[in-house]
Amino acid sequence: MIVLELLQGSSARSLYELRAGVVTLGRAATNTVVITDYHLSGEHGQIVREGDGYVYRDLRSTNGSVVDRGGQRLAVDATRRFELGLAHGDLLLLGDPKNPVSIRVRILPGARAPAGGGGDELGERLIASRSIVDLPAVTDQLEHDPVGALRVYKALQKLGGRLDQSACVEACVEAMFELLPRATHVAVLLRAESDKDRFVLAMSRERLPGGKTRDLRASTNDGGADPVRASRTILRRVLADRAALLTANAGEELSSSESILGGQILSMIAVPLWRGDEIIGMVQADNRHSAGMFDENDLEVALLLGSQAALAVDNASLVSRLKVAEERLRGENVYLKKRGEQRMRFENIVGDSPAMKSVLAQLEKVIDTRATVCIYGETGTGKELIASAIHYKSNRADKMFVAQNCAALPENLLESELFGHKRGAFTSADADKKGLFEIADGGTLFLDEMGEMPLSLQAKLLRVLQEGTIRPVGATAEKQVDVRIICATNRDLAAEVEKGRFRQDLYYRLMVFPLQLPPLRERREDIPALAAHFLKRYAEEYRLDLPGFTQESLDALSSYAWPGNIRELENEVQRLTIQAESGHWIEVTDLSPRLRRVEGTVARVAPKKGTLKEMMDQVERWLLQEALREHGGNKTRTAATLGITREGLHKKLAKFGL
C-alpha cells in the first residue's frame, strides 16, 4: 500500500491510503487524488504499481513534476524523463516550481503486487511465442497456402514505398488490422533516438464499426491520459525473450499493468521489430471482444508483419536522416557559396590606386565573355583572387570554380588530375576518376603557374581550347565540356616561346585577354588599406580588439619594397596580430627587422647642414647606394625598385659620381 500525505495544496483530504494499481493526480474530478491548485494540469501525474514498487509518471503536464529525494531534485517531465521509480520518504513537487503542490510519499511494508501480476509469471498466461528463428518455417507454410500468402502479400504491400516514418507506422497499423480481423486496437512503440532504453508510443488506433479506424491519441487532446498504451509488462517480456508473444485473459491476470487494466484486454499479440539482433520497437494488437481470441496462426502472420515493418521503419528513418543531412549540406553550401561570392566580388578586392583601378576596369569588360584570360604578375600579387572574382562576377557563378597549380604535380599525375582516367589505365587506377575539366563543366578552370606545364600536356590543352573536348587517360572516346580557362604565370611566356619551352600556338590561344597585375611596390597607396583589411580579418579570427596601426608603423609598411607582394604583407600582419595584445595599437617596434630598416632613415643618413638642395642631394645619394647594395649592383632591379627607368638611374649615378 502507498500513502500520500498532502503537505501543501488544495484538496478535500490531507492523507490518502491507496491500494489500487493505478493512481492519478490532478485538477480533474475523475482523478483518484483531486488537487484543485490552478497550476496543475487536468490529469497531472500517475502512480503505477510495478511488481514490489511504485513508479511516478508525468502525464505531459504543463508545469512538470519533481521528485525530491533527500534534497536531490529529479525532474520528471516530457523533455527529460517521463517516469521515475518512487522510494519511501520521497517528496512529490507538482506544478509551479516556485510554489508547488507538495506530497510526501510513504510506501508501507508488504506492499506487493497481486498474485499473477509480476512480469516473471507471465509464462503462466502465455499461449504461444515465436522467435525470429521461426520465421523461415512460417514462410514455408505460406508456400502451401496460396490464399493466405496472397492475403499477407496484399497487407504487406501497404509498407512499400512509405519513406516517411509516420506514414510507415500508419501503414504498419493498417496492415495489422487487415491481417488480424479480430484485432480491435493496435499500438506501435519505437525506440527513442535520444534514449536507447526508452520506447515511446508512435501510434495507437481503434477499429470502428465498418472497418474504419480512429487515432486514439488524437481523441485525447484535452490532456487526458491515453486509454490504450502498449503494455509495459508485455514489452519487458518481449525484450527479455526476444520473441513475439500471444497471451490470453490478460485483463484478469496482468493486474499490475495499468495499460491492460484500462483497456480490459482479453487477448493480445505483441511482435518485436528487429534490426538484426537489436529490437527497435514493438507492435501490439489487442482483442477486447469476448467472441473469438487470437490463435497461433495469427501470431505467425503477425511475426511476418513485424519482420517487414522493422525494415520499412528502418528505411524510413534512414531516409529521414539523409533528408536532414541533405538539407544541412545544402544550407552549408549556399552559405559557403554566398560567402565566397562576397569575398570574390570586385568591390571586396582592396585597392584604390590608379594601377588597381585600371585592372578592375579591364576586368569589367571581360567577365561575361568566353575569352581566355591570362593573368601576369609576380608571386603573391593575388592572381587566384582575381581569377575567382572573374568567375563569381560572371554568368557562370552558379557552376564550379576549380583551381590547379600546374607546378604542384609531376606530368603523369597532372594529366590524370586535369583530364581524368579510366580504370586500369595505369597501375594505381583502380577506379574511374573525373578530371578537373569534367568537374568544372559549365564553370571555370583556373590554371596557376601555366608556364610550368609540360609540352605534352600543352598539346592536350590546346585541343580543349580548340574543340571543347577532353579524353581521359586510357579512354577511347572523347567527352564534350564547356569550361572557361583562366591561367596565370609569373614567367614571360613570349620569352618561353622563343626558348622552345612553350608552344607558340597555345601562347596565342591564351593571349586572348592578357592582364598584368602590378606588384605591391607600384601601388603603395593601397598598403594602408590592405594592412587594415588583414588586421581586421585576423583580429576577428583570434578574437582580439586591435585599434589599428600607428602612423609611424604605416609609414614603415608603405616604405618597404615587399618583394613577396600582398602575400608577404598578409603574413606580416598575421604575425603582428598573433603577437599583439588586445586593445593596443600596432607600433613600428612590433614590425619585423627587415621592415624597421626604413625607420629613422634621415637620422642614419645624417646630412650635413646646408641648403635644402645640398641636404636633399646627400639623402638621394645615400638612397641610391643602399638600393644598389640591396640588389647586388643590378641596375635594372634597382631602377625598378626606385620606380625610375634604367636611363634615369644612369643619369643620377653619373650626377653623384657613383
Side-chain angles (χ1 to χ4, degrees):
M1 181 175 65
I2 187 169
V3 176
L4 303 181
E5 181 183 2
L6 189 68
L7 303 180
Q8 181 174 314
S10 302
S11 179
R13 296 160 53 188
S14 60
L15 197 67
Y16 293 84
E17 296 182 0
L18 305 167
R19 292 179 172 80
V22 181
V23 174
T24 57
L25 305 90
R27 286 189 297 109
T30 54
N31 288 293
T32 311
V33 179
V34 179
I35 307 171
T36 58
D37 292 64
Y38 72 93
H39 51 85
L40 263 61
S41 297
E43 291 194 55
H44 195 96
Q46 188 179 65
I47 298 176
V48 180
R49 183 166 50 206
E50 296 235 353
D52 293 340
Y54 289 86
V55 172
Y56 175 80
R57 177 181 298 152
D58 186 271
L59 298 177
R60 298 185 179 274
S61 65
T62 302
N63 293 318
S65 310
V66 172
V67 175
D68 187 330
R69 183 168 296 163
Q72 180 185 10
R73 296 199 168 196
L74 306 172
V76 185
D77 56 34
T79 60
R80 297 176 181 86
R81 58 173 70 84
F82 73 101
E83 65 177 30
L84 184 70
L86 292 175
H88 181 75
D90 282 350
L91 194 63
L92 280 178
L93 304 176
L94 311 180
D96 185 1
K98 295 182 179 179
N99 188 28
V101 169
S102 179
I103 301 173
R104 178 71 66 188
V105 176
R106 297 176 184 172
I107 300 176
L108 300 185
R112 301 181 60 85
D120 294 338
E121 300 179 15
L122 182 62
E124 297 177 5
R125 295 167 305 287
L126 191 63
I127 295 177
S129 68
R130 293 290 186 274
S131 173
I132 191 67
V133 297
D134 299 320
L135 193 58
V138 174
T139 55
D140 289 342
Q141 291 177 9
L142 281 178
E143 291 182 2
H144 305 291
D145 181 10
V147 176
L150 181 61
R151 184 170 67 91
V152 172
Y153 172 74
K154 288 183 177 181
L156 296 183
Q157 266 189 322
K158 298 179 181 296
L159 298 172
R162 303 293 180 98
L163 298 181
D164 178 75
Q165 191 174 68
S166 60
C168 183
V169 170
E170 182 177 358
C172 177
V173 171
E174 292 175 359
M176 185 66 90
F177 275 129
E178 187 170 332
L179 286 175
L180 303 180
R182 297 187 183 93
T184 58
H185 299 77
V186 174
V188 178
L189 281 84
L190 294 178
R191 188 186 295 274
E193 291 291 335
S194 57
D195 184 357
K196 297 301 182 182
D197 294 326
R198 179 183 172 194
F199 289 80
V200 295
L201 185 66
M203 183 171 291
S204 181
R205 285 195 170 180
E206 176 187 14
R207 192 203 299 264
L208 299 174
K212 295 183 179 180
T213 60
R214 176 172 64 114
D215 191 330
L216 288 172
R217 288 195 299 171
S219 68
T220 57
N221 288 335
D222 58 354
D226 186 352
V228 58
R229 281 194 189 85
S231 166
R232 291 175 51 82
T233 305
I234 295 292
L235 174 61
R236 285 195 296 268
R237 183 59 183 267
V238 166
L239 293 174
D241 290 2
R242 305 178 63 78
L245 306 178
L246 168 60
T247 64
N249 295 328
E252 298 176 9
E253 301 186 31
L254 294 182
S255 55
S256 68
S257 173
E258 89 291 351
S259 53
I260 296 178
L261 280 172
Q264 296 179 345
I265 300 168
L266 296 176
S267 63
M268 173 195 298
I269 286 178
V271 181
L273 304 180
W274 277 285
R275 178 197 290 152
D277 292 333
E278 182 184 8
I279 294 178
I280 63 170
M282 183 182 80
V283 182
Q284 173 184 307
D286 308 332
N287 171 18
R288 302 188 185 181
H289 299 315
S290 57
M293 299 177 64
F294 293 132
D295 56 27
E296 292 190 28
N297 184 60
D298 292 329
L299 179 64
E300 292 172 353
V301 168
L303 184 69
L304 284 172
L305 173 65
S307 65
Q308 296 301 309
L311 180 61
V313 169
D314 245 7
N315 288 341
S317 178
L318 177 60
V319 169
S320 176
R321 290 197 298 270
L322 287 175
K323 285 181 178 179
V324 171
E326 185 180 9
E327 283 297 318
R328 185 175 66 250
L329 288 175
R330 185 181 293 114
E332 290 175 357
N333 287 338
V334 170
Y335 167 75
L336 292 174
K337 187 174 181 180
K338 288 182 178 178
R339 185 179 177 187
E341 291 173 354
Q342 292 172 353
R343 289 180 57 195
M344 303 306 179
R345 287 182 302 185
F346 290 167
E347 53 264 35
N348 286 341
I349 295 178
V350 179
D352 201 34
S353 62
M356 283 305 298
K357 285 183 178 179
S358 174
V359 169
L360 297 179
Q362 294 180 67
L363 292 182
E364 290 286 356
K365 299 175 182 178
V366 77
I367 54 174
D368 281 327
T369 69
R370 294 193 60 187
T372 302
V373 179
C374 186
I375 306 173
Y376 280 94
E378 297 179 7
T379 299
T381 50
K383 296 186 287 294
E384 185 171 349
L385 181 67
I386 293 295
S388 301
I390 294 174
H391 171 78
Y392 287 110
K393 191 82 171 180
S394 73
N395 52 18
R396 294 174 177 259
D398 59 335
K399 300 296 183 180
M400 292 286 290
F401 173 81
V402 183
Q404 175 61 47
N405 189 324
C406 297
L409 295 173
E411 179 179 349
N412 58 335
L413 292 181
L414 181 60
E415 181 180 8
S416 172
E417 193 71 18
L418 292 176
F419 302 102
H421 64 249
K422 301 296 288 184
R423 180 181 179 183
F426 44 87
T427 304
S428 59
D430 53 357
D432 289 355
K433 176 185 176 181
K434 286 186 177 182
L436 297 184
F437 274 101
E438 195 171 352
I439 293 173
D441 191 16
T444 304
L445 177 60
F446 173 62
L447 299 175
D448 199 6
E449 303 294 348
M450 187 66 203
E452 304 288 342
M453 180 176 283
L455 284 169
S456 59
L457 288 186
Q458 292 178 26
K460 273 201 161 189
L461 178 60
L462 180 64
R463 181 167 181 79
V464 178
L465 293 172
Q466 289 176 335
E467 308 295 337
T469 59
I470 61 169
R471 179 179 293 176
V473 179
T476 57
E478 295 185 332
K479 295 181 179 180
Q480 194 76 27
V481 292
D482 174 23
V483 178
R484 183 180 190 176
I485 302 294
I486 301 178
C487 63
T489 181
N490 56 8
R491 291 188 178 187
D492 184 351
L493 291 186
E496 294 294 304
V497 170
E498 291 179 3
K499 296 174 183 178
R501 292 198 290 259
F502 201 85
R503 293 179 62 102
Q504 188 177 43
D505 47 3
L506 179 59
Y507 171 78
Y508 290 121
R509 282 281 182 179
L510 296 178
M511 289 299 111
V512 177
F513 194 88
L515 185 68
Q516 181 75 41
L517 291 188
L520 190 54
R521 61 181 174 274
E522 294 181 9
R523 43 181 293 216
R524 295 180 185 272
E525 308 97 308
D526 296 331
I527 291 176
L530 285 166
H533 170 75
F534 292 133
L535 184 67
K536 180 181 178 183
R537 178 199 296 178
Y538 288 113
E540 289 177 354
E541 180 179 341
Y542 302 139
R543 299 181 181 179
L544 296 173
D545 180 19
L546 300 177
F549 295 88
T550 64
Q551 187 58 49
E552 190 178 9
S553 62
L554 285 177
D555 291 341
L557 292 173
S558 300
S559 301
Y560 182 59
W562 298 108
N565 294 294
I566 300 174
R567 185 179 295 123
E568 184 184 5
L569 173 61
E570 181 179 1
N571 292 341
E572 174 67 16
V573 175
Q574 184 179 14
R575 184 193 65 80
L576 291 170
T577 309
I578 293 172
Q579 294 183 340
E581 294 185 13
S582 188
H584 288 68
W585 291 79
I586 303 297
E587 303 282 352
V588 68
T589 53
D590 298 324
L591 303 180
S592 299
R594 69 182 188 282
L595 301 176
R596 294 202 303 269
R597 284 190 301 177
V598 297
E599 178 189 359
T601 298
V602 176
R604 294 202 303 275
V605 176
K608 297 178 182 178
K609 289 188 177 182
T611 64
L612 178 61
K613 184 178 184 307
E614 290 172 344
M615 289 190 292
M616 291 301 296
D617 284 346
Q618 293 178 55
V619 172
E620 188 175 3
R621 177 187 175 88
W622 183 86
L623 291 173
L624 288 170
Q625 290 175 326
E626 284 293 303
L628 282 169
R629 182 181 59 79
E630 282 187 10
H631 294 290
N634 188 306
K635 295 179 182 178
T636 301
R637 285 187 291 175
T638 300
T641 300
L642 295 175
I644 59 178
T645 64
R646 184 181 173 89
E647 291 75 13
L649 176 63
H650 277 293
K651 290 179 181 179
K652 289 183 179 294
L653 294 177
K655 172 183 174 181
F656 296 113
L658 298 175

